[in-house]
Amino acid sequence: MDAQRQLLDQLMGVDRNLFADEKPSRKISWYDSSVCEFYNVDFCPHDLFINTKSDLGPCEKKHDDRFKAEFERQSSREKME
């Protein structure tokens, strides 16, 4: 069940069940602690060695291309602050 929920979150976003007039309860951005910073930069180490002895298991943080694109749009100065 959780795998299906994760897939839907990835495809349709976390707020997929909200009505059109409802606003998300919390705006998450690329710098939030629940977003995987390694995935935003290039790749997550949890995805590197899948099905090997060095497998780290699934990443506990969120992997989303929207956060990655938002991170890439930021200037270098804003990333460092």
Side-chain angles (χ1 to χ4, degrees):
M1 187 71 166
D2 287 333
Q4 293 171 343
R5 185 175 292 119
Q6 281 182 328
L7 182 61
L8 285 172
D9 287 346
Q10 191 175 34
L11 294 173
M12 300 175 66
V14 180
D15 301 320
R16 67 184 178 279
N17 294 334
L18 294 179
F19 292 108
D21 58 342
E22 291 181 325
K23 300 244 186 237
S25 59
R26 187 179 119 173
K27 175 77 172 139
I28 299 175
S29 188
W30 65 268
Y31 51 81
D32 193 46
S33 62
S34 65
V35 177
C36 182
E37 60 271 4
F38 298 113
Y39 181 77
N40 285 343
V41 173
D42 191 17
F43 66 90
C44 181
H46 290 268
D47 298 337
L48 190 59
F49 299 111
I50 296 175
N51 297 328
T52 65
K53 287 183 180 180
S54 301
D55 190 357
L56 298 173
C59 186
E60 299 293 324
K61 297 189 176 190
K62 296 178 183 172
H63 292 187
D64 195 339
D65 291 332
R66 291 180 295 151
F67 298 137
K68 193 173 200 175
E70 184 181 343
F71 175 77
E72 290 170 354
R73 281 194 304 265
Q74 297 293 321
S75 69
S76 298
R77 179 180 295 254
E78 291 172 342
K79 289 178 187 175
M80 298 300 266
E81 293 176 352

